[in-house]
């Protein structure tokens, strides 16, 4: 069951995947989501989670069946595969900025700040998905004609010098947060709070359990995944020493 999620999400996030493969992966994830909802519906005593809340909202006529399934599908997509890349980029980035890593280890209250800066620094992706203009739009002296496909840089939002001072610098003490990583307005990511919580727990737990963690190879030798829409290394070789 879990393998079905992981394999199909990897296909869905692969920029080189054939359209038919992407469509099949999307349909498979939608079916797996329906199975999750079905299983959760059978346990009426345990609804203290996002999927359970959606089921309850449907039963209260707050959501339609379609809205419940659509939202659950979105949460599965954004709450699983999208959280994996920052689980790799953060250890790498923090190990390359060991002074800030040591600060977090000394002051655990700084871990949420580290999460914000990792999400800002890497965004989690370089380019957005293609968008089709529904009408002619003039933007910065350029006319985007109706029907044109536009791919915007997501990283540009979190590296915009008009909003972030010295954006190329990794700084966990930065006052600006990573909100642009999660979108804005009605498109603000439903899983933003969940992602922040998961990553905070993961980073703190990793470096508490392995306080002597170090890169096992020079950072320029680390291979990066250039097939995924997400920013992530293919592998992150590390080493550590045991302490007693």
């Amino acid at each position: 069951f879990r393998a079905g999620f992981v394999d199909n999400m990897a296909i869905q996030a692969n920029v080189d995947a054939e359209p038919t493969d992407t469509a099949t992966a999307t349909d498979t994830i939608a079916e797996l989501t329906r199975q999750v909802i079905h299983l959760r519906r059978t346990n009426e005593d345990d609804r203290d989670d996002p999927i359970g809340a959606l089921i309850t909202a449907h039963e209260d006529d707050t959501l339609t069946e379609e809205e419940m399934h659509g939202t659950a599908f979105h949460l599965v997509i954004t709450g699983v595969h999208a959280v994996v890349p920052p689980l790799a980029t953060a250890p790498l980035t923090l190990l390359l900025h060991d002074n800030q890593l040591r600060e977090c280890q000394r002051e655990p209250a700084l871990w949420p700040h580290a999460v914000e800066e990792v999400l800002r620094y890497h965004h989690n992706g370089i380019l957005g998905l293609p968008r089709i203009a529904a009408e002619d739009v003039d933007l910065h002296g350029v006319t985007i004609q109706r029907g044109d496909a536009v791919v915007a840089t997501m990283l540009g939002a979190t590296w915009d010098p008009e909003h972030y001072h010295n954006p190329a610098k990794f700084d966990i003490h930065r006052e600006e947060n990573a909100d642009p990583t999660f979108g804005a307005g009605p498109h603000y990511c439903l899983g933003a709070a969940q992602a922040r919580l998961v990553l905070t727990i993961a980073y703190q737990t990793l470096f508490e359990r392995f306080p002597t963690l170090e890169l096992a190879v020079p950072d320029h030798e680390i291979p990066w995944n250039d097939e995924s829409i997400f920013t992530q290394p293919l592998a992150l070789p590390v080493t550590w020493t045991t302490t007693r």
Side-chain angles (χ1 to χ4, degrees), residues 201-224:
I201 294 171
Y203 299 170
Q204 182 172 354
T205 301
L206 173 66
F207 286 104
E208 283 182 352
R209 184 172 181 182
F210 301 101
T212 60
L213 204 66
E214 295 180 354
L215 292 177
V217 298
D219 61 284
H220 65 269
E221 293 184 10
I222 295 173
W224 288 82

Side-chain angles (χ1 to χ4, degrees), residues 17 43 51 103 108 118 125 129 144 172-173 194 209:
N43 189 352
I51 300 297
E103 285 187 75
V118 167
L129 298 175
I144 301 172
I172 63 171
H173 299 291
Q194 175 179 294
R209 184 172 181 182

Side-chain angles (χ1 to χ4, degrees), residues 98-180:
D98 59 327
N99 288 338
Q100 296 183 64
L101 170 58
R102 303 303 171 226
E103 285 187 75
C104 291
Q105 291 175 311
R106 290 192 301 268
E107 299 180 45
L110 289 174
W111 284 116
H113 297 272
V115 169
E116 289 295 313
E117 184 61 354
V118 167
L119 291 173
R120 181 206 68 83
Y121 192 72
H122 292 289
H123 188 291
N124 212 23
I126 303 297
L127 295 176
L129 298 175
R131 296 289 185 262
I132 307 300
E135 58 185 29
D136 290 355
V137 178
D138 290 324
L139 188 65
H140 301 296
V142 177
T143 299
I144 301 172
Q145 297 183 341
R146 178 181 178 181
D148 284 350
V150 178
V151 179
T153 167
M154 298 187 294
L155 192 63
T158 55
W159 278 55
D160 186 345
E162 291 188 8
H163 298 281
Y164 293 97
H165 175 67
N166 194 4
K169 179 182 179 181
F170 182 83
D171 182 7
I172 63 171
H173 299 291
R174 187 180 298 277
E175 294 183 1
E176 310 94 337
N177 64 22
D179 271 355

Side-chain angles (χ1 to χ4, degrees), residues 86-97:
L87 290 175
T89 55
L92 170 60
T93 307
L94 287 167
L95 288 170
L96 292 175
H97 297 82

